[in-house]
Amino acid sequence: MPAVLDLLAAASLLAGGVVIALAALGVVRFPDPFTRMHAATKAGVVGAGLILLGAGLALGTLAAVLTGLAGVLFLVATTPLASSCVSLLGRAC
């Protein structure tokens, strides 16, 4: 069973890294600030969430997995609101 958890952790860490790399590419290549912000926030949540879950699984303790899940829930709860606020501030200026 630990080998399966190690493979799952490695896959999660690798997938999170790929998603973050693609988000960085989107930030560089998209034409306007709003699409760049979309790439950074949406893919950042998924990428960071996968890395948090992968790190929790790699450590192998229940506390580490629960901490990773709490981090993912915090990202999901706060990032959409933060991106909306930044968007509204950008339009106001």
Side-chain angles (χ1 to χ4, degrees):
M1 189 63 147
V4 174
L5 286 179
D6 286 341
L7 286 174
L8 191 59
S12 178
L13 288 168
L14 184 64
V18 168
V19 169
I20 288 175
L22 290 174
L25 183 65
V27 168
V28 171
R29 302 242 349 181
F30 283 152
D32 61 272
F34 295 113
T35 55
R36 287 185 208 138
M37 186 174 55
H38 178 76
T41 58
K42 302 304 183 253
V45 169
V46 174
L50 285 171
I51 288 177
L52 282 170
L53 288 177
L57 289 173
L59 291 173
T61 64
L62 181 62
V65 173
L66 290 177
T67 302
L69 285 173
V72 170
L73 290 175
F74 182 75
L75 281 172
V76 168
T78 59
T79 304
L81 179 63
S83 68
S84 297
C85 291
V86 170
S87 174
L88 290 175
L89 285 173
R91 288 182 186 172
C93 291

